[in-house]
């Protein structure tokens, strides 16, 4: 809206309502029981606690609404509905940000004077960035690769731009307070209380007595996590040993999903390093001088190897050459474990230096973890044309050849070539053979390529014994420019080769590839011809901006994937009686995650969190201390209480000391069969109340989250519940709902686009209810949803105007001018029936977490129903009925309450209702009368068609008659009778072959050829009618009095069509003599406006 008066009024009302809710403790929930002692229906909804390193944004708000809406809906349904909330502080992000700020202050002062703030320095830095970008582009052009655009402006906060922690904080914190944030604990004291205030302003309906922060700063939660891990260890779920994990060398520890700024969900990928021994150069090329020198050093004499990383060790029999990137940067590294020299990229050498050569005996590739000795550097060109001895190859000697598409960011930068089964290799080798000038450009002589023919090693049915050659010929692939075809060929040959391929060469000839692969891998490793090597599946960057490697480290880990544990969780998730995912796509993701999620490194050596109770050099990482904290909510108000996020003992409502929270105490509260602990510092009755409260609220009914937590947190929470309560599966989570991310005006949220919205900013701009309204309208699927600012603006107007109308009608209108009593006209019956229908439809939508559709039913369609009635009364000159409108209004207020609770609360009071709207019961309504629904649709659709006909009227036409028909002609009756014979009343549907069967029936049973097409069109139309209204759509006679409805509404129809005169008549009236071209369009329930 151009003005802000309506928005400001909504905001002011919201603040008043929130103060009232807080004053009256409306959202505080305690166990409640009926007179027989049976617990009242309860519903507990939870939401992953947000990370407290800044303010909440619209992405948080959107996902949050799904939980908030459902919790309020269950409250209106009369359930004891609890929605608790907390704040996550564990892990590296806060620690890394505090360290970065501390470094900036040490280097640049307080406030810091960053070098880029000096125009001359900034210009120089930008010139350097531009030069680097140009060099990158030139390099890409030289190799024929397509370069990505590089950032050359420091104001661009990604890529090569400079991001200062001070400047990030300056957008959220008064500048004179920023130095305090160099202490990570200060973040924990600063941001969570602000999060509470923003959540309250959103009207989140939280029981704030149960809120807390994580980490050892909060001794109560710290004790809870220590207990959890002691139980997990007791049950054999926490183990110790060397494991390969994504690792930050800079941080000196494993880098889990929540410790990353890039690469969430990426795990280790196993490769096999193939050792291709460099032989003495044999072509007298000057560029091989460095290599000749290296081969004669003490280290080089023991063996110099190019080490390509492959996923397919079984194909090494088919090696014809090795590929190098001519412009790549390589180096020779000394490998302590084997006393050999490996040639590879610096990036891969950095990772290899962190990995075990022999994990069982604690031997690493290098003597010092993370350090590797570099002996020499090489350009890619200096490595071309070298002779190699390739293990398992049928050729005694192969050569290094150029390949321009090698990525130095994956593998070792060295690629072995098997043209029989790798389409890329076949195309590259063939190009060197077919284009001598191209080969000569890189110093490649004919004898390095011509003698090397494809070696068949794997037979694939339908593809022959050289699948790469077959696919390249089939798809017409001629060069590397055929990228899409090459990708298709690669995917197909690799998949078919592994699944149905059979080895035709070597000692494992005759075996399926899938069986031979692990055998060949193990044989090569045992023979010293290969080694295992790991790297992240794709790029991972830590919060400290370190590109991560895979490291083999001593590690405490959770044994996810262990057969019996995984099986129990999967059985629970796939049982729709015990668990709902609300969406088949989500359920499939849980099933898939349970298949691949394996051992998980659950500790770090520094960062914020809880120390591992039996080994205090380790801190429990952020995904592992957040798996069963939903159970902590059930007792947090006894331990901490309101306004005590950090868990200060002096504020404990029950005067409970952290030191008194022993494992015995928690076992009694949370686990079946454990006795009341003797001599506990916690009062026995308090312990019993806590135990009873946990048992009251558990199991958790619903957890709401964005979809990106399915592969980690959500699945891990299932695992941990199944471990802690392995003997009580009835306490495991009952449902998870996940949604997509949020876009703003159909674009990804971005600061540079100006559409990155913070939660409080959005509330202040549109009001809480209009923001929630637009979130509800944004979408409910796993696809990304769209927050429309136009929708939020429209909601301000709609909410304001509707409240004004309802208030005026129910409180300001003279009741004597309104109708009352039980004598209802047609449209009053329609409005009452529509209210009944939409109350039930909205309830079904909310229960299924379909809030966009619920908004459509519970707001927009309710508006349409009321507006149609209002217009009908106005145009008919009939007063509205007070009881019918009141029922509609009171229903509307509660239907929209889960989405716009402040609006509902305000209006509830304005129309004189007692109590709170947020605690008011769901409307009690009668069953929908489907015949009345059909009659309402009859009038609505008829009027729409009349408008179309009236618009076609010729000038001078003054007579108008609505023609109705009570029955069908014989040919249509026959078609309907056939439809009835095909309809399955139990399933309420036609068979899948219905349209095909219709064609057969109509050509067989309709005698007139021209009627066949008409019959098929008519049946298709009638089928849509049946799909919408059910079996009654096939009635031979119209089941209601069309003429009565139209005659009662004739004044309304005349006004809508702007006609002075209008009558209703039967199409069969002989006095009218209706032309055939008009009469044939009239059928039961489908009147026609005849103008003349």
């Amino acid at each position: 809206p151009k003005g802000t008066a309506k928005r400001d009024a909504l905001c002011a009302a919201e603040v008043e309502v929130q103060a009232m809710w807080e004053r009256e403790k409306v959202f505080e929930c305690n166990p409640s029981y009926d007179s027989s002692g049976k617990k009242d229906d309860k519903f507990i909804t939870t939401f992953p606690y947000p990370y407290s390193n800044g303010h909440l944004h619209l992405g948080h708000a959107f996902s949050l609404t799904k939980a908030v809406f459902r919790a309020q809906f269950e409250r209106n349904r009369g359930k004891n509905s609890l929605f608790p909330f907390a704040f996550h502080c564990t892990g590296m992000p806060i620690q890394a940000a505090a360290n970065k700020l501390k470094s900036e202050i040490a280097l640049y002062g307080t406030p810091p004077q960053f070098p880029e703030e000096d125009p001359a320095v900034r210009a120089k830095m930008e010139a350097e960035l531009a030069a680097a970008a140009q060099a990158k582009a030139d390099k890409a052009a030289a190799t024929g690769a397509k370069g990505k655009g590089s950032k050359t402006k420091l104001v661009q906060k990604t890529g090569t731009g400079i991001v200062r922690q001070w400047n990030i904080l300056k957008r959220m914190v008064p500048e004179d307070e920023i130095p305090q944030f160099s202490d990570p604990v200060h973040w924990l004291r600063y941001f969570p209380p602000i999060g509470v205030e923003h959540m309250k302003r959103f009207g989140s309906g939280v029981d704030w007595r149960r809120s807390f922060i994580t980490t050892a700063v909060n001794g109560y939660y710290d004790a809870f996590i220590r207990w959890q891990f002691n139980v997990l260890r007791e049950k054999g779920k926490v183990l110790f040993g060397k494991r390969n994990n994504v690792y930050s060398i800079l941080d000196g520890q494993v880098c889990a999903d929540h410790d990353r700024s890039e690469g969430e969900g990426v795990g280790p990928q196993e490769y096999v390093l193939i050792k291709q021994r460099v032989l003495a150069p044999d072509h007298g090329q000057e560029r091989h001088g460095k290599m000749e020198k290296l081969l004669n050093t003490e280290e080089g004499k023991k063996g110099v190897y190019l080490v390509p990383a492959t996923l397919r060790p079984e194909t090494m029999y088919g090696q014809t050459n090795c590929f190098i990137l001519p412009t790549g940067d390589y180096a020779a590294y000394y490998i302590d474990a084997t006393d050999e020299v490996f040639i590879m990229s610096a990036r891969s050498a950095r990772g290899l230096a962190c990995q075990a050569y022999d994990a069982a005996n604690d031997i690493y590739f290098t003597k010092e973890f993370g350090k590797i000795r570099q002996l020499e550097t090489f350009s890619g060109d200096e490595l071309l044309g070298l002779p190699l001895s390739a293990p398992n190859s049928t050729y005694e000697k192969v050569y290094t050849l150029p390949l321009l598409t090698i990525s130095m960011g994956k593998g070792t930068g060295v690629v072995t070539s098997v043209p029989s089964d790798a389409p890329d290799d076949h195309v590259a080798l063939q190009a060197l053979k077919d284009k001598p000038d191209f080969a000569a450009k890189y110093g490649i002589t004919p004898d390095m390529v011509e003698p090397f023919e494809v070696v068949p090693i794997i037979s694939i049915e339908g593809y022959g014994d050289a699948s790469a050659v077959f696919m390249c010929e089939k798809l017409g692939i001629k060069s590397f420019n055929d990228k899409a075809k090459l990708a298709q060929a690669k995917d197909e040959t690799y998949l078919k080769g592994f699944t149905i391929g059979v080895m035709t060469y070597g000692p494992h000839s005759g075996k399926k590839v899938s069986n031979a692969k692990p055998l060949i891998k193990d044989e090569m490793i045992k023979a010293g011809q290969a080694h295992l090597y790991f790297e992240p599946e794709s790029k991972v960057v830590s919060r400290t901006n370190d590109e991560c490697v895979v490291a083999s480290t001593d590690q405490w880990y959770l044994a996810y994937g262990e057969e019996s544990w995984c099986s129990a969780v999967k059985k629970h998730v796939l049982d729709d009686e015990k668990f709902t995912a609300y969406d088949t796509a989500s359920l499939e993701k849980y099933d898939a995650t349970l298949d691949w999620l394996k051992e998980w490194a659950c500790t770090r050596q520094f960062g914020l969190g809880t120390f591992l109770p039996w080994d205090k050099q380790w801190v429990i990482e952020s995904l592992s201390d957040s798996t069963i904290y939903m159970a902590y909510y059930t007792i947090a108000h006894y331990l901490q209480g309101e306004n005590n996020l950090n868990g200060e003992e002096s504020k404990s409502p029950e005067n409970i000391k952290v030191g008194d929270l022993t494992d015995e105490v928690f076992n009694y509260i949370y686990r079946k069969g454990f006795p009341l602990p003797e001599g506990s510092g916690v009062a026995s009755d308090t312990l019993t109340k806590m135990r009873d409260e946990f048992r009251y609220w558990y199991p958790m009914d619903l957890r709401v989250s964005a979809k990106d937590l399915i592969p980690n947190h959500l699945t891990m929470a299932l695992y941990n519940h199944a471990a802690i309560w392995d003997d009580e599966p009835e306490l495991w989570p009952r449902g998870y709902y996940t949604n997509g991310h949020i876009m703003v005006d159909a674009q990804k949220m971005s600061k540079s686009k100006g559409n990155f919205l913070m939660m409080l900013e959005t509330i202040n701009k549109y009001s809480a209810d209009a923001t929630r309204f637009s979130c509800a309208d944004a979408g409910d699927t796993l696809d990304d949803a769209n927050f429309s600012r136009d929708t939020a603006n429209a909601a301000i107007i709609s909410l304001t105007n509707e409240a004004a109308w309802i208030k005026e009608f129910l409180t300001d209108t003279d009741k004597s001018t309104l109708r009352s009593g039980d004598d209802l006209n047609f449209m009053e019956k329609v409005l009452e029936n529509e209210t009944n229908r939409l109350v039930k439809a909205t309830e079904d939508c909310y229960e299924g977490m379909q809030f966009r559709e619920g908004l459509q039913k519970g707001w927009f369609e309710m508006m349409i129903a009321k507006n149609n009635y209002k217009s009908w009364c106005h145009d008919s000159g009939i007063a509205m009925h007070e009881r019918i409108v009141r029922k509609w209004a009171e229903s509307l207020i509660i239907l929209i309450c889960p989405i716009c609770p402040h609006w509902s609360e305000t209006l509830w009071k304005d129309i004189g209702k007692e109590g709170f709207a947020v605690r008011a019961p769901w409307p009690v309504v009668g069953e929908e009368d489907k015949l009345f629904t059909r009659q309402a649709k009859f009038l609505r659709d008829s009027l729409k068609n009349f408008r179309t006909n009236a618009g076609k009227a010729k000038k001078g036409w003054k007579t108008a008659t609505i023609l109705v028909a009570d029955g069908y002609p014989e040919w249509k009756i026959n078609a309907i009778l056939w439809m009835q014979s095909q309809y399955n009343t139990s399933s309420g549907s036609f068979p899948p072959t219905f349209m095909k069967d219709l064609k057969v029936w109509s050509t067989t049973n309709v005698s007139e050829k021209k009627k066949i097409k008409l019959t098929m069109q008519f049946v298709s139309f009638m089928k849509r009618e049946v799909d919408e209204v059910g079996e009654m759509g096939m009635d031979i006679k119209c089941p209601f009095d069309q003429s009565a409805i139209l005659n009662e509404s004739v004044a309304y129809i005349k006004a809508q069509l702007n006609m002075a005169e209008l009558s209703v008549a039967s199409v069969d009236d002989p006095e009218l003599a209706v032309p055939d071209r008009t009469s044939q369009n009239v059928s039961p329930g489908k009147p026609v406006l005849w103008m003349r």
Side-chain angles (χ1 to χ4, degrees), residues 938-952:
F938 161 76
L939 179 59
R940 192 167 57 247
D941 291 350
S942 297
L943 182 57
K944 182 179 177 182
N945 293 331
F946 297 164
R947 285 196 184 100
T948 302
N949 287 353
K952 299 175 182 177

Side-chain angles (χ1 to χ4, degrees), residues 185 188-189 213-220 222 608-609 645-648:
V185 175
L188 278 58
R189 297 193 181 103
I213 64 166
T214 65
T215 77
V217 169
N218 179 358
Y220 296 106
D222 191 55
L608 301 175
L645 293 171
N646 292 2
E648 295 176 34

Side-chain angles (χ1 to χ4, degrees), residues 26-30 43-50 60-61 63-72 74-75 80-86 199 202-211 629 633 697 702-704 772 919:
V26 169
F27 299 113
E28 290 186 6
C29 296
N30 298 303
F43 199 90
I44 175 171
T45 309
T46 67
F47 180 83
Y49 39 28
H60 291 118
S63 293
L64 176 68
T65 58
K66 308 301 182 185
V68 171
F69 293 167
R70 182 62 182 272
Q72 181 53 50
E74 296 296 344
R75 200 172 286 120
N80 194 7
S81 179
L82 172 64
F83 180 49
F85 201 84
M199 288 281 291
F202 198 48
S204 304
V206 171
D207 183 347
W208 290 110
R209 301 172 302 158
R210 302 172 187 267
S211 297
Y629 70 89
Y633 282 132
W697 291 114
L702 174 66
R703 187 156 183 78
V704 171
R772 292 166 60 126
R919 289 208 172 275

Side-chain angles (χ1 to χ4, degrees), residues 933-986:
T933 300
R934 191 174 175 188
Q935 291 177 54
K937 184 176 184 297
F938 161 76
L939 179 59
R940 192 167 57 247
D941 291 350
S942 297
L943 182 57
K944 182 179 177 182
N945 293 331
F946 297 164
R947 285 196 184 100
T948 302
N949 287 353
K952 299 175 182 177
K954 293 182 180 179
K955 193 173 182 181
W957 283 6
K958 294 182 180 178
T959 306
T961 306
I962 298 174
L963 302 173
V964 298
D966 292 325
Y968 291 99
E970 185 178 357
W971 68 273
K972 287 187 177 181
I973 291 174
N974 291 335
I976 293 171
L977 290 172
W978 178 80
M979 288 180 70
Q980 292 174 353
S981 72
Q982 300 298 302
Y983 190 73
N984 186 326
T985 53
S986 58

Side-chain angles (χ1 to χ4, degrees), residues 703-727:
R703 187 156 183 78
V704 171
S705 166
K707 62 185 178 183
D708 52 338
L709 294 190
I710 292 176
N712 44 62
H713 162 73
L714 292 172
T715 304
M716 291 174 183
L718 287 164
Y719 262 118
N720 278 264
H721 277 82
I724 301 295
W725 293 283
D726 54 355
D727 57 344

Side-chain angles (χ1 to χ4, degrees), residues 471-535:
M471 285 301 295
C472 287
E473 290 175 352
K474 177 184 175 183
L475 299 178
I477 300 171
K478 301 296 183 184
S479 75
F480 271 106
N481 293 327
D482 298 326
K483 291 180 181 178
K485 289 181 179 179
L486 270 172
Q488 178 187 344
K490 178 180 177 180
D491 290 345
E492 196 167 325
T493 54
Y494 282 22
L495 176 64
K496 297 293 184 182
F498 183 77
T499 54
I500 63 173
V502 176
M503 299 298 300
T504 60
Y505 190 93
H508 298 285
S509 180
K511 291 179 182 175
K512 288 187 67 176
V513 169
S514 55
N515 295 328
K517 179 175 182 172
L519 299 175
I520 295 169
K521 178 183 76 172
D522 291 345
E523 287 170 0
M524 293 187 75
I525 291 172
K526 190 174 182 180
Q529 299 172 330
H531 301 293
L532 291 183
Y533 162 72
F534 298 84
E535 62 181 42

Side-chain angles (χ1 to χ4, degrees), residues 307-320:
V307 283
T310 182
L311 297 170
R312 306 189 69 196
E314 74 281 5
T315 65
M316 293 304 100
Y317 302 109
Q319 293 177 91
T320 57

